Amino acid sequence: MSWKSQLADSITTPEQLSERFGIDPEPLRAVAASYPLRITPHYLNLIDTSGDPIWRQCVPDLSELVVDGLPEDSLNEAAFSPVPAVVHRYPDRALLLVSGQCAGYCRFCTRKNRVGTTALTFSTEQIAAGIAYIAANSGIRDVILTGGDPLLLDDDRLEEILMALRNISHVEIIRIGTRVPVTLPERITPQLCQLLVRFQPLYLNTHFNHPRELVAVSVKACARLADVGIPLGNQTVLLRGVNDDPEVMVALCRGLLKMRVRPYYLHHLDQARGTAHFRAPVERGLEILAAMRGQVSGLGIPQYVVDPPGGQGKVPLLPENLLEVGETVKLKTACGIVELPNSLLR
Ligand SMILES: *Cc1c(COP(=O)(O)O)cnc(C)c1O
Ligand code: SF4
């Protein structure tokens, strides 16, 4: 079956979830009205039991509506957005938001207030303006296609965007951030791989969070990309009740290495509204990292990072960068000392 028909067969309503799992759809209607719901047939089939690590990532939960005092734009991206489709926070790198849609909507998404809605869906003209911005800023060497999920675009549209970026001489590398190898592996067709490889150097970063996601079709999707020569990385988010466990993370990272996917970042959860039930404390993340040393090849140990609100950029979380852990967490960073309320890091 084609990826488009797989996508069209996704679950998008609490009623469909109720049919499948016999749960009461009523309480989930309000959640699904606030934040989009989509679970592909592939991802749905990975669920074993209600509340398991796959379920938690994709099935709406009433906790999402708890008023948690967390901001909607946790990374203050609006302040770094010179034109609507671009986020330009580091001088040499820019995000280009090319698609507002994802194959599945992760309940913990940092952009959950906008993903899957018109607020994150930019017109062809707005994306052209984003590309023009990049063309006019010769300091930008690295363009990261994101959204939403860039691989929900058709091949033709993706090709147009990649060609426009490749026409800019100062753009040295292109990266694509995508979760389709996890949620919609059918999207990684041989044709897509042939298209992407024309725009090298092009890196693809995907987003596996749990070893149970490393199933045969996803392994095959990654193998197709690796076989044509696309370097693969993985960004994981530390999630309570999903992967906040050394054994799980060891299995995940070992499994990724076997798939030729290099663990890149372990993100401490961003402070986005409606995600507080996924928070794990910094100490837990550091403990997991310590446990990985000695059990996983150095090649497979991701950098543990936090993106503090306010937009200073990512800060590596290393025991030696933690100056103080109490009411506040003080971190030593390249641009000085960052102080964060500990409650927000939990
Ligand atoms: C994370 C991020 C990047 C890419 O950062 P790397 O550390 O180079 O992977 C670029 N721009 C923004 C706004 C980011 O948040
Ligand atoms: S795939 Fe990424 S952008 Fe899309 S919902 Fe999940 S975390 Fe958010």
Side-chain angles (χ1 to χ4, degrees):
M1 228 196 318
S2 75
W3 66 272
K4 284 191 182 170
S5 47
Q6 288 280 329
L7 191 64
D9 278 350
S10 296
I11 276 186
T12 55
T13 66
E15 287 68 29
Q16 290 169 305
L17 275 175
S18 157
E19 276 166 37
R20 171 90 181 204
F21 297 108
I23 54 172
D24 180 7
E26 180 50 32
L28 298 187
R29 283 197 190 113
V31 186
S34 300
Y35 302 114
L37 161 60
R38 179 142 75 199
I39 311 172
T40 57
H42 167 73
Y43 205 67
L44 192 72
N45 280 330
L46 298 182
I47 295 176
D48 271 345
T49 51
S50 81
D52 77 11
I54 307 294
W55 171 291
R56 280 178 66 75
Q57 292 186 66
C58 65
V59 175
D61 191 291
L62 277 176
S63 311
E64 293 172 50
L65 299 179
V66 170
V67 180
D68 51 21
L70 296 177
E72 284 198 331
D73 178 9
S74 66
L75 301 180
N76 196 17
E77 284 190 329
F80 297 90
S81 189
V83 295
V86 169
V87 180
H88 189 191
R89 188 164 60 179
Y90 303 102
D92 62 330
R93 279 156 278 180
L95 308 182
L96 182 62
L97 282 62
V98 294
S99 160
Q101 309 287 312
C102 298
Y105 292 108
C106 310
R107 309 322 300 174
F108 53 83
C109 181
T110 298
R111 300 200 180 102
K112 69 183 290 165
N113 67 315
R114 292 191 294 154
V115 78
T117 74
T118 52
L120 201 63
T121 305
F122 300 111
S123 64
T124 308
E125 292 72 29
Q126 285 173 314
I127 292 171
I131 294 170
Y133 174 85
I134 292 165
N137 283 270
S138 58
I140 300 175
R141 291 187 287 111
D142 177 359
V143 176
I144 301 160
L145 300 186
T146 181
D149 198 315
L151 295 188
L152 280 212
L153 297 176
D154 283 339
D155 287 1
D156 290 351
R157 179 65 184 133
L158 195 60
E159 184 179 20
E160 280 171 11
I161 293 171
L162 289 169
M163 278 202 298
L165 290 172
R166 268 286 161 254
N167 275 335
I168 304 172
S169 59
H170 56 264
V171 172
E172 295 173 0
I173 68 169
I174 298 173
R175 293 193 253 177
I176 293 180
T178 174
R179 209 172 183 211
V180 304
V182 188
T183 50
L184 187 67
E186 301 83 358
R187 174 68 184 99
I188 309 297
T189 59
Q191 297 86 308
L192 176 70
C193 296
Q194 288 309 322
L195 188 165
L196 295 179
V197 81
R198 287 170 35 216
F199 299 96
Q200 300 214 58
L202 181 148
Y203 291 75
L204 190 144
N205 266 326
T206 186
H207 181 172
F208 289 94
N209 284 329
H210 194 278
R212 273 182 37 205
E213 294 167 344
L214 311 180
V215 292
V217 274
S218 291
V219 172
K220 184 172 163 200
C222 293
R224 274 184 176 160
L225 290 161
D227 284 347
V228 297
I230 310 276
L232 301 174
N234 187 70
Q235 309 199 175
T236 295
V237 183
L238 180 65
L239 299 167
R240 179 149 71 90
V242 175
N243 58 15
D244 59 336
D245 175 330
E247 272 182 41
V248 169
M249 209 64 90
V250 165
L252 175 66
C253 292
R254 283 183 184 160
L256 288 168
L257 283 183
K258 288 204 285 187
M259 291 161 61
R260 290 177 281 172
V261 178
R262 178 146 194 212
Y264 177 47
Y265 280 141
L266 170 61
H267 291 275
H268 193 74
L269 189 69
D270 288 330
Q271 292 159 31
R273 184 176 299 173
T275 64
H277 54 300
F278 284 110
R279 303 201 72 76
V282 163
E283 293 91 327
R284 187 76 184 141
L286 290 171
E287 189 190 312
I288 290 172
L289 230 56
M292 289 176 75
R293 302 239 158 81
Q295 293 198 71
V296 181
S297 317
L299 199 62
I301 299 182
Q303 262 200 81
Y304 181 32
V305 291
V306 64
D307 216 332
Q312 333 42 347
K314 294 177 189 66
V315 180
L317 284 164
L318 296 166
E320 54 270 33
N321 282 352
L322 284 179
L323 298 176
E324 191 181 308
V325 187
E327 285 283 286
T328 61
V329 174
K330 263 194 207 164
L331 291 166
K332 192 171 59 186
T333 77
C335 42
I337 291 173
V338 175
E339 201 166 333
L340 303 162
N342 202 349
S343 60
L344 288 183
L345 280 173
R346 277 160 200 285

